[in-house]
Amino acid sequence: MTKHQLIGAEVSLYTGKLRCYLQYKNIPFDEVVASGEVYRDTIIPRTGVRYIPVLITDDDQALQDTTEIIDYLERRYVEAPVYPSTPFQKLIALLLEVYGDEWLVIPAMHYRWNIEENKDFAVAEFGRTSVPDASAEEQLIVGKKMSGPFAGSLPVLGVSDTNTKAIETSYLGLLKELDRHFKATPFLMGTRPCIGDFGLIGPLYAHLYRDPYSGRLMQEQAPNVVAWVNRMINPDPLTGDFLPDDQVPETLMPVLQRMFREQGPVIRSTLDRVAEWASVNADGKAEQEISRAIGSHTFTVEGAEAERLVFPYCQWMWQRPYDCYQGMNEENRTTVERRLAVLPGALELLRHPVTQRVVRKNNRLLLG
């Protein structure tokens, strides 16, 4: 029997997300380490980009981007869907995927590359992954070279000397909120993981649990989050249910309030900047590519202001919960809006028009 191939690495945030999904769904796969040779011979020629994970399907399609891969597999493997069918649960699950995928990369990257113990561990991991058959000395040299662009991306994400303490304060607050939630509920929405769980597991496992310093921090500060991580990486496949009657636990409200307080203004700014970029740069051609970053904007975490690049991909992810909300019938929308009232800024952002869509095609981001 031909299996899917997951090409990735233990050190990779998004590989962790996809691996957990494949294991929970009981989808047969073999894992292939994304060595330098695999990048050269498979990843780059098959996808046109240098990102992992990549899924080579059992019918030899090469798929890149965890969200698109999960959606493809959900259509094929319909048992125990990870998208709730009820409107409020589905919206919240999509929002938390955006939060995990696009915002928790900030503390994940800070703790990995600004904490010396974590940095040394990650560099060694990069070396072992890139040249698995080389000596330890050679792996260290390669690891430093391969990890350089990742360590150098901190300013791009908005991590600077002026806000690292604020990032840590926010992250510790999030751990406390999640710990309270997972003490009462095994996953975000009940006894089955949803797409939001898979969005959160990437940063919370691959960086913040596996890296030694931040792993100890999680053990000390949030044992119930550690227990959730272990449920995610060692799942009981295809088991569990979402809560009945479209319930979303109250314990998730502080997490969502944090999301809209910190990430919400960045999402809104991104929508506006994408529209501005298109108005200046669109030339009327079909399938016009948009740059990976289009300028910079300021953001605030725990009172500390910093600057980061504007990423149109963030809008592509945001369009998922936005479309979920906009597509609701009147009855469902009225109910959902009433329940969102406890989240300052949520309704304003979900109502903010997306005037310039972005789409993904052949692993490129295009104006829609």
Side-chain angles (χ1 to χ4, degrees), residues 241-256:
D241 292 295
F242 299 128
L243 293 169
D245 304 320
D246 204 18
Q247 295 178 61
V248 171
E250 289 298 316
T251 46
L252 285 180
M253 294 304 111
V255 177
L256 290 157

Side-chain angles (χ1 to χ4, degrees), residues 12-72:
S12 157
L13 186 155
Y14 296 105
T15 300
K17 173 186 177 182
L18 184 56
R19 184 190 303 109
C20 287
Y21 171 82
L22 291 166
Q23 291 173 332
Y24 172 71
K25 293 286 283 193
N26 205 29
I27 296 172
F29 73 99
D30 292 321
E31 187 156 352
V32 177
V33 175
S35 66
E37 181 181 0
V38 171
Y39 266 97
R40 183 193 68 212
D41 295 344
T42 303
I43 296 173
I44 296 172
R46 294 295 306 271
T47 69
V49 295
R50 301 183 60 91
Y51 311 134
I52 57 174
V54 170
L55 188 76
I56 307 298
T57 67
D58 54 4
D59 58 355
D60 200 37
Q61 298 181 67
L63 306 179
Q64 193 281 317
D65 186 87
T66 55
T67 296
E68 289 197 339
I69 293 169
I70 287 173
D71 283 357
Y72 164 83

Side-chain angles (χ1 to χ4, degrees), residues 111 117-118 171 175 204-223 226:
Y111 277 101
E117 181 183 3
N118 282 353
Y171 172 64
L175 277 186
L204 288 172
Y205 167 67
H207 286 227
L208 297 164
Y209 173 89
R210 286 191 76 249
D211 291 0
Y213 173 85
S214 45
R216 291 195 304 273
L217 186 65
M218 186 183 290
Q219 293 275 359
E220 295 164 1
Q221 299 290 325
V226 172

Side-chain angles (χ1 to χ4, degrees), residues 113-124:
W113 300 114
N114 279 333
I115 304 296
E116 203 65 29
E117 181 183 3
N118 282 353
K119 182 178 179 179
D120 290 345
F121 173 79
V123 166

